Amino acid sequence: MNGADALMRTLVENGVTACFANPGTSEMQFVSALDGQPAMRPVLCLFEGVATGAADGYGRMAGTPACTLLHLGPGYGNGLANLHNARRAYTPIVNVVGDHATYHRQYDAPLNSDIPSIVAANSLWVKSADSPDEVAAVTAEAITASHGPPAGPVSLILPADAAWTETSTTFAPASRPGPRAPDGEAVEAAARAIKAAKAPVVLIGGGACLEAGLVQAARLQAAGVRVMADTFVARQPRGAGVFAPARMQYFGEAALEELAGTDLMVFAGTTQPVAFFAYPDRPSVLVPEGCATLSLADRATDAAAALQALADALGAPASGPVQPLKRPASPASGPLTPQACGVAVARHLPEGAILCDDAVTSGGGVAVPCMTTVPHEVLALTGGAIGIGGPMAIGAAVACPDRKVVSLNGDGSAMYTVQSLWTMAREKLDVTVVVFANHSYRILNIEMSRTGAGQAGPSARKLLDLGDPNIDWVSLARGLGVEAVRCETGEAFEAAFASAMSQRGPRFIEAAI
Amino acid sequence: MNGADALMRTLVENGVTACFANPGTSEMQFVSALDGQPAMRPVLCLFEGVATGAADGYGRMAGTPACTLLHLGPGYGNGLANLHNARRAYTPIVNVVGDHATYHRQYDAPLNSDIPSIVAANSLWVKSADSPDEVAAVTAEAITASHGPPAGPVSLILPADAAWTETSTTFAPASRPGPRAPDGEAVEAAARAIKAAKAPVVLIGGGACLEAGLVQAARLQAAGVRVMADTFVARQPRGAGVFAPARMQYFGEAALEELAGTDLMVFAGTTQPVAFFAYPDRPSVLVPEGCATLSLADRATDAAAALQALADALGAPASGPVQPLKRPASPASGPLTPQACGVAVARHLPEGAILCDDAVTSGGGVAVPCMTTVPHEVLALTGGAIGIGGPMAIGAAVACPDRKVVSLNGDGSAMYTVQSLWTMAREKLDVTVVVFANHSYRILNIEMSRTGAGQAGPSARKLLDLGDPNIDWVSLARGLGVEAVRCETGEAFEAAFASAMSQRGPRFIEAAI
């Protein structure tokens, strides 16, 4: 066995069994080692941003890391944006970054670069396994580190000579530190403060928005405490039978309007809310003036347990409100809008579906009717780097092969990682991709005035508009091997979405809104 | 005027007149400021890797920097791989990286990241213009820094509040330090060593491979000194009337075989050659054992002037050998191969064409017959990060609107930045894109055995093969607005390429090899 074999064995025997890869010459031993570990599923991605976004989707659903295989600094760079999103989602990922042989680095060959510097911003942990004998131990350390708490992406640099040299040390065990137990004093302090407050809000995010956390949050709501959730949550159940906390508004002034009068904010699985962007003369921190704040559970803490302790301390009822099942009675019809698409989605989404949302301005139209459809889960864009909708769907589908995955995308977003369609076709993943084609960076048309940048003139308009030429998404999707249809009416979208939900395998729908 | 206006004015009045952009909310003032400077050409790219690769192509041809507009850390990350290539090409580029307002950074909003750390590896110079009053000066400093010598990409971080706040300081002049004059002692030492050597080689690269350098290098060859060129050169004239130095072989053992017996290597515009990758038991440094080395001109020095001084010192003739004009007499025919494509390219390439080469294993077949076609220029992949062929062609076409641009790509390479086709259509650029579709990472099939990784089994094969499904490139190109055709024979390619050369505007040819 060589170092690459040790890496692969250590990954697989510690439960890392999916590899989203875009290999190069320096990673040939890694590729070869895959054949020795059939439990590892290799998934080829034609661009590294697909690989890293897929690893994010996988990690969110599996709760264990996938690995990626990236080709030196530039390969990592191509995957950086979706690793930024993964860092913001607290998703465990083991990035394996192939590097030149240790002795070759000094010659600064064309692909050489300062990998530790490039990966630092989005890695919980970075180490280079410079000798074959340390590969297993370093790999185990990487897996352990990726779990946190809180979890996140880590970067294991694998020089080619460490990969190709023989070693007798081929395995090391990783450990999985769980989240920290709730801090009893924090729970008591929160309970006291909530009792004393006139209008308290408990803001939940991260792990607090998973199933167990929502159950406890609903109890708080039943006890008269207003519960809200972060705007963008890595993974959250939704639909009938699930508690639906109010969501923090995206635009800060709307958020503060909804929070007006709040005199206490308690955070569970998240921190104080801040505006996504700054705007001239608008606040950055989305906490009303004079409102007190308290942390019940940080992102490293078992937020569900903390919420349970808080609910108990407040004498909350054993259960709280959940959403009813109320699917739209009438099919979508008329001109196609995000809202019409939402009707069709809510009517046909199968139970347990995983909805990957990178739809930017079109997402809200789908979210509203889905609040009362069958129970499903939503994975949101946590880091603001668009282009995760397709890749994340790949990872979710690999992690959960028995669940339907729906990927909702703006057209601007989908173009970033359009290569993801090919991997869905290659792997025959059960993913339906919807692209809302408004041929515009519509959010930027909104932001142009909000930032005080004024009216767009001819040059500025060229940068906000995706028309001229309009992208033919059906042609793109078919070119990448995915069956595709374009819908211009509610009726057409309803039929196309219903058809996609009734069959397995990748489908593409261009929603011409 | 605000900070963004100051930035734009300083760019334009210092000769930076092309902006390859993919904007976001934090860059709205920059976008708006474009309207105040109509001399700046804004080119929308649907992915940042297209923007940075285009800036590289532009800078190589214009000799002055373009600017890019990138959205915070993730936007830069998306463009990182082609900036790695640009660093290796010594191309001046001014990257403008939008950032949160200075006062907003502390709140670690979702898109916040450590931008200086992410950009460091591929930036000659990094600075954040934190106040509107310093934007003009910092911008001028960035432009100056991008010129080097040697030139390269720089990163100007522009916080949103510096962009939107008024300022009265709206311009600062940049300077353009030229290359250093040749070192007389180095010239004398090289001349002495060459006279004393039995089998000297002058290896040229970078600036030495531009027109003036080749003229002087040819004189050396005429004086009996063997001249070779780096394997991958940022920009090099080729064809009839041009000196064609022998090229260093890509694989190290082949390079060393060709260099056998060489007892002196003198470097001009480059440094000692090293293998692109390390391989077990093969050398990293491509200098024969016992061969002496000397630097005539480093990358910061005027290599053409140094070569001239050396040729003079050696009493070389006033001119040296150049390539004859000898285009293939018979059209391409039969099964399509890279060689057949090369015949058609050599027969129809117009004079002054710019050939952007990201064709990996298919590139050699085209290069050979092009050695004796009409004079043209070749831009190569300098940093090994594939996916530059389309983007670089965009930049070359914007810099040189009167010259035909031909972009040669492997299918694996072209998928990285397939979004570039849309920008070609949007800007009606005179670019013909050829994709050699072998549905394989063919280079990796070769490297698999060279690295000693053995025979690919079922898992490994999945990562080396791009089939299942085969990409329909014509469908992709048409979806992005570019007229496209698929060719399966030499005759078909000859006709398609001839047609593309006889008309203006973007064309796409899938070469099914």
Side-chain angles (χ1 to χ4, degrees):
Chain A
M1 279 194 160
N2 60 27
D5 297 317
L7 172 75
M8 202 61 69
R9 184 184 163 205
T10 302
L11 288 170
V12 166
E13 295 191 11
N14 284 300
V16 180
T17 56
C19 174
F20 300 98
N22 189 284
T25 297
S26 40
E27 292 83 55
M28 288 297 96
Q29 267 75 20
F30 180 103
V31 170
S32 183
L34 286 164
D35 286 314
Q37 293 288 346
M40 177 69 85
R41 179 173 178 178
V43 178
L44 178 61
C45 302
L46 302 187
F47 178 69
E48 291 89 345
V50 178
T52 54
D56 187 7
Y58 181 95
R60 294 193 200 188
M61 294 311 300
T64 55
C67 67
T68 65
L69 180 60
L70 308 171
H71 188 45
L72 299 100
Y76 184 96
N78 284 334
L80 187 150
N82 274 336
L83 291 172
H84 169 95
N85 290 328
R87 173 170 67 92
R88 296 290 180 176
Y90 301 91
T91 306
I93 297 176
V94 176
N95 295 295
V96 179
V97 187
D99 193 9
H100 284 307
T102 50
Y103 59 82
H104 197 65
R105 287 172 174 157
Q106 64 187 302
Y107 301 116
D108 197 27
L111 266 164
N112 192 52
S113 61
D114 183 354
I115 299 176
S117 152
I118 291 170
V119 307
N122 292 295
S123 300
L124 288 189
W125 172 102
V126 184
K127 203 170 270 189
S128 179
D130 282 354
S131 115
D133 296 337
E134 67 181 348
V135 168
V138 170
T139 304
E141 199 184 317
I143 298 167
T144 301
S146 77
H147 283 298
V154 300
S155 296
L156 192 177
I157 301 169
L158 181 66
D161 55 340
W164 72 48
T165 305
E166 293 295 305
T167 179
S168 56
T169 311
T170 61
F171 174 74
S175 64
R176 181 171 180 162
R180 290 189 202 116
D183 173 353
E185 285 182 26
V187 172
E188 278 174 37
R192 272 196 311 273
I194 286 172
K195 282 178 193 159
K198 287 184 190 148
V201 163
V202 173
L203 180 66
I204 62 175
C209 289
L210 295 173
E211 193 179 354
L214 289 180
V215 167
Q216 302 304 327
R219 292 179 58 204
L220 292 173
Q221 183 96 356
V225 180
R226 188 178 179 198
V227 178
M228 299 186 74
D230 278 343
T231 314
F232 300 103
V233 174
R235 177 181 177 184
Q236 186 172 339
R238 186 170 73 181
V242 179
F243 172 56
R247 192 162 296 282
M248 285 284 292
Q249 295 277 341
Y250 177 75
F251 289 124
E253 63 275 19
L256 283 172
E257 204 171 294
E258 288 199 353
L259 287 168
T262 302
D263 59 349
L264 171 70
M265 292 186 80
V266 174
F267 309 124
T270 187
T271 51
Q272 95 178 342
V274 299
F276 209 88
F277 291 105
Y279 302 91
D281 306 321
R282 294 187 185 172
S284 287
V285 176
L286 304 183
V287 173
E289 259 193 68
C291 174
T293 61
L294 263 185
S295 175
L296 172 67
D298 65 15
R299 297 190 193 270
T301 299
D302 184 339
L307 288 168
Q308 178 168 15
L310 177 62
D312 290 348
L314 291 173
S319 65
V322 296
Q323 294 293 99
L325 179 66
K326 193 167 172 230
R327 302 179 106 167
S330 306
S333 66
L336 196 58
T337 60
Q339 290 70 27
C341 294
V343 166
V345 173
R347 283 167 51 83
H348 298 287
L349 200 69
E351 190 164 332
I354 303 163
L355 207 152
C356 300
D357 185 6
D358 193 10
V360 198
T361 52
S362 299
V366 177
V368 172
C370 284
M371 302 299 291
T372 56
T373 186
V374 293
H376 60 285
E377 290 190 271
V378 182
L379 313 187
L381 173 62
T382 50
I386 57 175
I388 201 174
M392 190 156 64
I394 291 171
V398 169
C400 305
D402 299 327
R403 296 170 68 173
K404 176 68 84 175
V405 178
V406 175
S407 170
L408 303 176
N409 307 271
D411 48 1
S413 301
M415 268 311 287
Y416 275 66
T417 46
V418 64
Q419 304 90 342
S420 59
L421 294 168
W422 182 86
T423 296
M424 294 175 196
R426 153 75 69 99
E427 298 290 329
K428 299 179 176 59
L429 300 176
D430 194 16
V431 178
T432 295
V433 176
V434 177
V435 166
F436 295 98
N438 59 18
H439 306 293
S440 160
Y441 287 133
R442 184 160 291 171
I443 182 71
L444 296 186
N445 284 287
I446 299 168
E447 296 286 29
M448 193 84 183
S449 72
R450 282 179 50 82
T451 56
Q455 283 294 313
S459 284
R461 272 201 302 274
K462 275 192 68 175
L463 297 190
L464 306 179
D465 167 35
L466 302 183
D468 185 24
N470 279 356
I471 292 165
D472 177 349
W473 281 96
V474 168
S475 188
L476 272 189
R478 288 183 184 154
L480 294 166
V482 176
E483 196 179 322
V485 64
R486 173 180 162 89
C487 302
E488 301 188 356
T489 65
E491 288 84 352
F493 186 87
E494 173 95 18
F497 194 80
S499 161
M501 292 303 104
S502 69
Q503 294 166 57
R504 285 186 63 84
R507 292 299 171 91
F508 183 92
I509 303 174
E510 175 181 353
I513 56 171
Chain B
M1 280 195 163
N2 60 27
D5 297 316
L7 172 75
M8 202 62 68
R9 184 182 163 207
T10 302
L11 287 171
V12 167
E13 296 191 11
N14 284 300
V16 180
T17 56
C19 174
F20 300 98
N22 188 285
T25 296
S26 40
E27 292 83 54
M28 287 298 97
Q29 266 75 18
F30 180 102
V31 170
S32 184
L34 287 165
D35 286 315
Q37 294 288 346
M40 176 69 85
R41 179 171 179 180
V43 177
L44 178 60
C45 302
L46 302 186
F47 177 69
E48 292 89 346
V50 178
T52 54
D56 187 6
Y58 181 95
R60 294 194 200 188
M61 294 311 302
T64 55
C67 67
T68 66
L69 180 60
L70 308 171
H71 188 45
L72 297 101
Y76 183 96
N78 284 334
L80 186 149
N82 274 336
L83 291 171
H84 169 93
N85 290 328
R87 173 169 68 90
R88 295 289 179 177
Y90 300 91
T91 307
I93 297 175
V94 176
N95 295 297
V96 179
V97 186
D99 193 9
H100 285 307
T102 51
Y103 60 82
H104 197 66
R105 287 171 175 158
Q106 64 187 304
Y107 302 116
D108 198 29
L111 266 164
N112 192 54
S113 61
D114 183 353
I115 298 177
S117 150
I118 291 170
V119 307
N122 292 295
S123 300
L124 288 187
W125 171 102
V126 185
K127 202 171 270 188
S128 179
D130 282 355
S131 117
D133 296 337
E134 66 179 351
V135 168
V138 169
T139 304
E141 197 183 320
I143 298 167
T144 302
S146 77
H147 283 298
V154 301
S155 295
L156 194 175
I157 301 169
L158 181 67
D161 53 342
W164 71 49
T165 304
E166 293 295 305
T167 179
S168 55
T169 311
T170 61
F171 174 75
S175 64
R176 182 173 179 162
R180 291 190 202 118
D183 174 352
E185 285 182 27
V187 172
E188 279 173 36
R192 271 196 312 273
I194 287 173
K195 284 179 193 160
K198 288 186 189 147
V201 164
V202 172
L203 180 67
I204 61 175
C209 289
L210 295 174
E211 193 178 354
L214 289 180
V215 166
Q216 302 305 327
R219 293 179 59 204
L220 292 173
Q221 182 97 359
V225 180
R226 188 178 179 198
V227 177
M228 299 186 74
D230 277 344
T231 314
F232 300 104
V233 173
R235 177 182 176 183
Q236 185 171 340
R238 187 171 72 179
V242 179
F243 172 56
R247 192 162 296 283
M248 286 283 294
Q249 295 277 340
Y250 177 75
F251 289 123
E253 63 276 18
L256 283 173
E257 206 171 294
E258 289 198 352
L259 288 168
T262 302
D263 59 348
L264 171 71
M265 291 186 82
V266 174
F267 309 123
T270 187
T271 51
Q272 90 176 350
V274 300
F276 209 89
F277 290 106
Y279 302 91
D281 305 321
R282 292 187 188 173
S284 287
V285 177
L286 304 183
V287 174
E289 258 193 72
C291 174
T293 61
L294 264 185
S295 175
L296 171 68
D298 66 13
R299 297 191 193 271
T301 299
D302 184 338
L307 288 169
Q308 178 168 15
L310 178 62
D312 291 348
L314 291 172
S319 66
V322 296
Q323 294 295 98
L325 179 66
K326 193 168 171 229
R327 300 179 108 169
S330 307
S333 66
L336 196 57
T337 60
Q339 289 70 26
C341 294
V343 166
V345 172
R347 282 167 52 84
H348 299 287
L349 200 71
E351 191 165 331
I354 303 163
L355 207 152
C356 300
D357 185 6
D358 194 10
V360 198
T361 52
S362 299
V366 178
V368 172
C370 284
M371 301 300 290
T372 55
T373 186
V374 295
H376 59 286
E377 291 191 272
V378 183
L379 314 186
L381 172 63
T382 50
I386 56 174
I388 201 175
M392 190 156 63
I394 290 172
V398 169
C400 305
D402 299 326
R403 296 171 67 172
K404 176 68 84 177
V405 178
V406 175
S407 169
L408 303 177
N409 306 272
D411 48 1
S413 300
M415 269 311 287
Y416 274 67
T417 47
V418 65
Q419 304 91 342
S420 58
L421 294 168
W422 182 87
T423 296
M424 294 176 196
R426 153 74 70 100
E427 299 289 329
K428 300 179 178 57
L429 301 177
D430 194 16
V431 177
T432 295
V433 176
V434 177
V435 166
F436 295 97
N438 59 18
H439 306 292
S440 161
Y441 287 132
R442 185 161 292 170
I443 183 69
L444 297 187
N445 283 286
I446 299 168
E447 296 286 29
M448 194 84 183
S449 72
R450 281 180 50 82
T451 56
Q455 283 295 311
S459 285
R461 273 200 301 273
K462 276 191 69 175
L463 297 190
L464 305 181
D465 167 36
L466 302 183
D468 185 22
N470 279 357
I471 292 165
D472 177 349
W473 281 97
V474 167
S475 188
L476 272 189
R478 288 184 183 152
L480 293 166
V482 176
E483 196 179 320
V485 62
R486 173 181 162 87
C487 302
E488 300 187 355
T489 64
E491 288 84 352
F493 186 86
E494 173 96 17
F497 194 78
S499 161
M501 291 305 101
S502 69
Q503 295 168 56
R504 284 186 64 83
R507 292 301 171 90
F508 183 93
I509 303 174
E510 176 181 351
I513 58 172

